[in-house]
């Protein structure tokens, strides 16, 4: 399958690396809104201007859109879905129905196939919530995130006056995880589930106490959590916090038996050294499925819930049954 | 959906309980090869002779076949798939391709839809092997089972002269699990992955040393493992070993990045108080999918790999996108 990358940040670079691990995939090019002459790809893939994407209509089987969910994807995906089979990682959970409707209309009109909200959450975590809830009809669901870098929370700290750089780690609280794993179906507050660990580089003349207070009292982002703030140097930031690890757990526990006497726990856990590179691997696997489904004539918008797992694998149905079932 | 249960052992009883937790499912009846007058169901579901199953052709949407994999299912499923949409939990991994071919031919000829090898292994573990391998193209897979009762190994011990009853627990070795979780992709021998714990009730005059040797040297079942044998009384067996817990883990770790510099681990873990009741819950969820797919005109044989996850849920696609994605 011939893939294109639209947008070349951390996620785009991750897709570029992931394609090299999948012999049935090749990259046609990277499309960027920057001046292509200023963009150098990791593996020498050619770079084209985003404005020229329509010229590559017949050369790309699936276009992987690597933009941000806040402002890029709500505009980009519906426009591109008219001319390309597309896949994005739109992750603003509350706006998924409206994004789905816009992309579905565009893809259906263009006779193309689209997949939105693909990655690990939404994505693999969503799939595991669905499988677990369908199996254990009576039970409770829990999602824990981390330990990992939250870009949104890091950005929120960087907007505080006097902050030069910041990194925020979301950390699941082990006691809460163990309570959930026990099958006791605890009711947990926001504060009981996650800690927020902040590492901050302050300007030389900054009021550190004021920064710490501004972080810990910030509504939505930090006020409902136990938060730690550690001031570090720019050198320490570069040395110890350059990576983007993440992960987490989806856990469902439920009861079965005539009188609910048996407890079951289903846990799906990700431990990721690189959030964007793992997300990119998920995107490439689902691009394979979208390419196959489009070849079979499917059009409109889909989510990970609509994809038969066999379509994700480079193996044939016969090989899958013989070796993976 | 109207379901039938064909075969009424632990798994059949589990399905009977699972149906009560799913408001969109109802049970038409239990079909047994025993004299129906001697079979009392847990919830008062009517019992019919297996030989009369053809009379219920038009009343059952999906028939859940709860027979054993060794001799029952290879015969039962192809015969029943001519007249019913069926689902079984055939778990002899090596014979899946041949079972698939027989069931596919029968279901296609009868215009019916069949799903084989559904449960947790094969079943949910298979799905997780497939998803993880499709995402992390370069990596290694590990499956651990337990701690849980292996019926096959328990039966093998019961066949030794002087043994009145036996229960065998398969136990994953924590050091091996931790090595796999670390992402180091260790090479593990059979002995390094699992222990086998045996609890045996011996006849009063039995030679216990001979029984212990017979167990520990039994080829295929025990010789390749570190095995413990503990002799207990019939009362202890009834008190401490009446349940059928099981579970296990599917773990894949892999590398990403330009130089494979980032490690990722995907873990799916089940902790089950009752192996048959959990398997039954999986069967009922997949019966929902088979019923929907049959209504859309699908025929022939499928595996869990072919089922789009959305078809498993009682929720609508809109509800799933709004609340689970």
């Amino acid at each position: 399958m011939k893939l294109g990358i639209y947008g070349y940040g951390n996620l785009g670079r991750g897709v570029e690396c992931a394609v090299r691990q999948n012999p049935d995939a090749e990259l046609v090019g990277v499309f960027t809104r920057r001046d292509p002459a200023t963009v150098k790809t990791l593996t020498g893939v050619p770079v084209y201007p985003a404005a020229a994407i329509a010229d590559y209509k017949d050369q790309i089987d699936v276009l992987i859109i690597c933009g941000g969910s806040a402002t890029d994807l709500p505009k980009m995906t519906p426009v591109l879905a008219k001319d390309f089979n597309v896949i994005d990682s739109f992750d603003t959970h509350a706006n998924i129905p409206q994004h789905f409707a816009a992309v579905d209309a565009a893809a259906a009109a263009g006779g193309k196939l689209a997949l939105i909200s693909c990655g690990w959450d939404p994505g693999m975590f969503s799939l595991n919530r669905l499988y677990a809830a369908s199996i254990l009809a009576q039970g409770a669901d829990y999602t824990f995130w981390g330990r990992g870098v939250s870009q949104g929370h890091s950005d929120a700290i960087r907007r505080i006056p006097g902050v030069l750089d910041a990194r925020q780690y979301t950390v699941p609280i082990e006691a809460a995880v163990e309570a959930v794993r026990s099958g006791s179906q605890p009711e947990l507050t926001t504060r009981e589930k996650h800690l927020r660990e902040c590492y901050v580089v302050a300007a030389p003349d900054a009021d550190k106490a004021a920064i710490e207070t501004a972080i810990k009292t910030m509504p939505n982002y930090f006020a409902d959590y136990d938060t730690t703030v550690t001031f570090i140097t720019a050198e320490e930031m570069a040395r110890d916090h350059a990576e983007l690890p993440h992960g987490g757990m989806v856990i469902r526990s439920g009861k079965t038996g005539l009188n609910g006497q048996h407890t079951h726990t289903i846990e799906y856990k990700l431990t990721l050294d690189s959030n964007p590179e793992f997300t990119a691997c998920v995107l490439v696997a689902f691009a394979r499925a979208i390419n196959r489904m489009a070849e079979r004539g499917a059009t409109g918008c889909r989510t990970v819930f609509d994809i038969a797992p066999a379509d994700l694998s480079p193996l044939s149905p016969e090989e899958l049954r013989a070796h993976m079932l």
Side-chain angles (χ1 to χ4, degrees), chain A residues 12-325:
Chain A
R13 281 189 287 273
V15 172
E16 185 183 6
C17 293
V19 166
R20 302 213 310 171
Q21 298 188 332
N22 287 276
D24 63 339
E26 60 177 284
L27 271 179
V28 173
V30 162
F31 296 84
T32 178
R33 288 174 293 183
R34 291 175 274 168
D35 174 1
T38 67
V39 174
K40 201 173 145 30
T41 55
L42 294 173
T43 64
V45 173
V47 184
Y48 305 112
I53 184 82
D55 300 344
Y56 296 84
K57 244 183 176 175
D58 302 325
Q59 292 175 50
I60 293 172
D61 294 319
V62 183
L63 184 63
I64 301 182
I65 310 178
C66 300
S69 292
T71 55
D72 292 343
L73 296 176
K75 289 181 190 161
M76 282 178 183
T77 310
V79 169
L80 293 165
K82 287 178 194 156
D83 292 325
F84 294 89
N85 300 317
V86 297
I87 173 165
D88 80 17
S89 57
F90 183 77
D91 67 359
T92 311
H93 290 259
N95 297 341
I96 285 174
Q98 139 190 13
H99 188 54
F100 182 90
V103 175
D104 190 47
K112 296 293 176 182
L113 186 63
L115 179 75
I116 62 160
S117 301
C118 183
W120 60 273
D121 195 3
M124 296 311 298
F125 273 18
S126 321
L127 280 170
N128 278 279
R129 285 187 283 263
L130 169 54
Y131 276 118
S134 301
I135 293 168
L136 293 175
Q138 292 180 6
D141 271 325
Y142 302 84
T143 302
F144 292 95
W145 293 274
R147 185 177 190 262
V149 174
S150 165
Q151 308 263 30
H153 288 77
S154 301
D155 289 344
I157 300 172
R158 286 193 203 100
R159 286 191 292 263
I160 296 171
V163 171
L164 298 181
D165 197 3
R167 202 74 85 252
Q168 194 269 183
Y169 295 87
T170 305
V171 185
I173 295 175
E174 198 54 34
V177 175
E178 286 310 318
V180 167
R181 282 181 178 144
S182 76
S184 67
Q185 299 187 22
E187 300 243 0
L188 297 168
T189 63
T190 297
R191 192 177 300 274
E192 287 170 327
K193 289 181 69 186
H194 296 94
L195 293 175
R196 298 204 174 276
E197 260 180 41
C198 310
Y199 296 88
V200 179
V201 180
D205 59 346
D207 178 345
K208 289 183 178 175
I211 290 172
E212 182 163 345
T213 301
I215 294 172
K216 290 185 171 178
T217 59
M218 197 185 296
N220 302 319
Y221 285 88
F222 295 100
D224 297 335
Y225 298 84
D226 288 338
T227 300
T228 65
V229 177
T230 306
F231 290 94
I232 60 175
T233 64
E235 292 69 35
E236 287 169 327
M237 181 64 80
R239 186 191 68 203
D240 301 334
H241 303 282
E243 299 282 342
L244 295 169
H246 219 313
M249 288 151 270
V250 170
I251 307 178
R252 184 173 178 89
S253 71
K255 306 281 185 186
T256 68
L258 197 58
N259 308 302
Q261 68 271 42
H262 293 129
T263 299
H264 307 272
T265 306
I266 303 173
E267 175 173 341
Y268 182 76
K269 182 175 183 181
L270 296 176
T271 309
L272 312 177
D273 271 1
S274 166
N275 183 354
E277 288 179 8
F278 185 81
T279 301
C281 290
V282 178
L283 289 171
V284 171
F286 277 89
R288 179 180 292 119
I290 289 301
N291 185 44
R292 288 176 175 169
M293 293 166 73
E295 282 177 351
R296 297 196 296 260
T299 63
C301 191
R302 299 291 189 282
T303 74
V304 293
F305 296 152
D306 305 307
I307 312 299
D311 275 331
L312 300 172
S313 173
L315 301 182
S316 71
E318 292 75 17
E319 289 171 314
L320 289 176
R321 286 194 294 269
H323 304 299
M324 280 213 184
L325 199 59

